[in-house]
Amino acid sequence: MPTPTDFERMLRGAALRVTAPRLAVLTAVHTHPHSDTDSILGFVRETLGGVSHQAVYDVLKALTSAGLIRRIQPMGSVALYETRVGDNHHHVVCRSCGVIADVDCAVGDAPCLTASDDNGFALDEAEVIYWGLCPECSKTAATQDK
């Protein structure tokens, strides 16, 4: 787990001022990956007290723009945030309960960036989402089928 000093270093390295809301949001997103804005707001308010929705939205936007956090939005979901950035990993999502987990690229370094036809684009990221049932929902479904 990164320390507050690590988060301060990350902010300065991204040319962002170190503020209490930025540190609180970074900590919340790191501690609770794949959280939505309302959840992050709740975690930040536990730390700082009264913080507005707008302040958290602004911090999330700044941190995402700086590449310190990643915004994902699986189909049918609100925006979710994580601090795992820069490695082109993917996600697996349970169709039943919505739980999300990280999945490393299947083969080698970012194989998904070799598209069959890039249409002239300079590709730098691929977003792959695997859908299915998590182990708990799979057990429940198997039990119901009997």
Side-chain angles (χ1 to χ4, degrees), residues 2 12 16 27 35 37 47 52 59 72 80-81 105 116 132 137:
R12 285 187 185 104
L16 294 174
T27 301
S35 290
T37 305
T47 304
S52 71
V59 170
I72 62 169
L80 306 171
Y81 297 88
C105 280
S116 59
C137 291

Side-chain angles (χ1 to χ4, degrees), residues 138-146:
S138 292
K139 279 189 237 174
T140 302
T143 303
Q144 292 174 350
D145 288 344
K146 290 183 180 183

Side-chain angles (χ1 to χ4, degrees), residues 59-83:
V59 170
L60 288 169
K61 183 177 180 182
L63 296 177
T64 301
S65 295
L68 296 178
I69 63 173
R70 181 178 177 194
R71 179 184 186 274
I72 62 169
Q73 191 165 5
M75 181 180 64
S77 172
V78 296
L80 306 171
Y81 297 88
E82 63 184 355
T83 55

Side-chain angles (χ1 to χ4, degrees), residues 89-108:
H89 72 280
H90 307 302
H91 298 92
V92 60
V93 180
C94 180
R95 289 186 187 279
S96 181
C97 70
V99 71
I100 298 175
D102 291 338
V103 178
D104 291 328
C105 280
V107 181

